């Protein structure tokens, strides 16, 4: 699978929960987990192809609100004993946490290991990223964990064709999300909603109308994103957006990106070169 579908998964996760207003720390922790999943998926493919050693894919559905970090501090660092109050992803700085998580992965431990350690250390099994970070911290201190590593099985990367990429893009740029994909899958008797996205994108590119309408808010957001992407694809960057915002008397750089992309898609020339 290319990087685009992973960005789509992140985007859908936020869109489907945008009204739930989760705690910012929880959002950050979940995004970190998703990022690490993708990194390990790529490493898993390298293993399957005879490449460097690393951890494989951590399987699991995206459920943003369920990943809520605890707020505890470490007092017992003995690796073989339950930790009375382990450190969590919310209490560590991003750089320190990443180092801990990398140490955990490089030592060969996987997702199931985090569940076992959560039980031993009496940590929340719902926040395995915190368990991994705590385990990595101990490993960096030279401690031995109470269980042997059992890395996740490596998986072979799935790839998509340029045509499928266009179909996915057409689906999302029209404002559709996973919710509509599930509905379309039922209507078209397609087992996997991801395949329904491809079919929907194919029909949209052919100028057809789908039997399900996207949410208005998503349509607006998707149009802005499409225009902003056109702005960047034309070679412009954030500093250019700041300049254009001043020229056009716009409130912020994002508005300039959207306006610039709109004009570029209409075949117009912007007042500055990228």
């Amino acid at each position: 699978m290319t990087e685009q579908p992973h960005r789509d998964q992140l985007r859908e996760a936020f869109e489907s929960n945008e009204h739930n207003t989760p705690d910012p720390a929880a959002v950050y922790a979940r995004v970190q987990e998703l990022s690490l999943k993708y990194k390990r998926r790529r490493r898993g493919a390298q293993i399957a192809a005879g490449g460097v050693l690393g951890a494989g894919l951590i399987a699991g559905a995206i459920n943003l609100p369920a990943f809520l970090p605890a707020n505890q501090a470490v007092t017992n660092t003995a690796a073989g004993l339950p930790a009375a109050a382990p450190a969590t992803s919310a209490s560590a700085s991003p750089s320190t946490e990443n180092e801990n998580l990398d140490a955990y992965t490089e030592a060969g431990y996987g997702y199931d290991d985090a569940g076992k350690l959560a039980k031993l250390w009496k940590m929340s099994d719902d926040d395995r990223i915190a368990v991994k970070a705590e385990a990595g911290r101990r490993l960096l201190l030279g401690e031995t964990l109470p269980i042997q590593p059992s890395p996740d099985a490596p998986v072979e990367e799935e790839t998509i064709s340029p045509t499928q990429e266009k179909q996915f893009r057409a689906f999302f740029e029209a404002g559709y999300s996973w919710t509509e994909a599930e509905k379309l899958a039922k209507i078209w008797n397609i087992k996997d909603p991801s395949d329904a996205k491809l079919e929907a994108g194919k029909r949209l590119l052919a100028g057809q109308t789908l039997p399900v309408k996207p949410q208005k808010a998503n349509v607006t957001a998707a149009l802005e994103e499409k225009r902003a992407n056109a702005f960047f694809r034309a070679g412009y960057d954030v500093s250019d957006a700041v300049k254009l915002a001043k020229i056009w008397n716009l409130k912020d750089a994002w508005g300039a990106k959207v306006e610039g992309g709109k004009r570029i898609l209409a075949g117009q020339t912007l007042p500055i070169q990228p």
Side-chain angles (χ1 to χ4, degrees), residues 50-230:
V52 298
L53 291 178
L57 170 68
I58 292 180
I62 296 176
N63 185 7
L64 184 62
F67 245 83
L68 300 178
N71 292 294
Q72 299 172 313
V74 172
T75 58
N76 187 347
T77 57
L81 297 176
T88 67
S89 57
S91 61
S93 67
S95 59
T96 300
E97 183 183 62
N98 286 337
E99 291 176 2
N100 294 341
L101 291 170
D102 285 342
Y104 178 87
T105 300
E106 290 169 3
Y109 288 92
Y111 183 78
D112 292 336
D113 293 328
K116 296 175 184 177
L117 291 171
K119 292 180 179 179
L120 289 172
W121 293 339
K122 301 187 185 304
M123 295 179 69
S124 173
D125 187 55
D126 291 331
D127 191 4
R128 295 196 182 187
I129 190 171
V131 180
K132 297 174 187 177
E134 171 60 13
R137 185 189 69 81
R138 298 188 182 202
L139 288 169
L140 290 174
L141 288 175
E143 299 179 14
T144 301
L145 301 188
I147 64 172
Q148 293 298 312
S150 55
D152 300 304
V155 294
E156 185 176 352
E157 287 290 312
E158 180 185 356
T159 59
I160 63 173
S161 67
T163 297
Q164 290 174 321
E165 181 72 23
K166 290 180 182 178
Q167 292 167 348
F168 274 126
R169 187 182 301 116
F171 179 82
F172 287 111
E173 287 184 349
Y176 288 95
S177 67
W178 183 260
T179 300
E180 289 78 36
E182 289 182 316
K183 294 178 181 178
L184 290 170
K186 291 180 180 179
I187 293 173
W188 293 333
N189 293 318
I190 297 176
K191 184 177 180 180
D192 188 348
S194 293
D195 292 332
K197 293 179 188 178
L198 290 173
E199 178 62 25
K202 178 182 178 181
R203 298 190 186 198
L204 288 169
L205 289 172
Q208 300 180 29
T209 300
L210 303 187
V212 173
K213 298 292 184 182
Q215 297 181 29
K216 282 188 176 181
N218 288 347
V219 173
T220 300
L223 179 59
E224 289 186 352
E225 186 176 347
K226 177 181 179 180
R227 290 171 175 173
N229 288 337

Side-chain angles (χ1 to χ4, degrees), residues 10-52:
L10 284 170
R11 174 185 166 194
E12 289 180 16
F14 281 110
E15 285 178 348
S16 62
N17 294 280
E18 61 183 350
H19 301 299
N20 294 336
T21 59
D23 180 75
V27 174
Y28 175 78
R30 184 55 182 150
V31 171
Q32 286 288 89
E33 179 76 1
L34 288 172
S35 175
L36 289 170
K37 283 184 183 180
Y38 178 48
K39 290 178 182 176
R40 281 189 289 276
R41 183 177 177 87
R42 292 180 64 84
R43 291 178 186 172
Q46 291 176 324
I47 297 171
V52 298

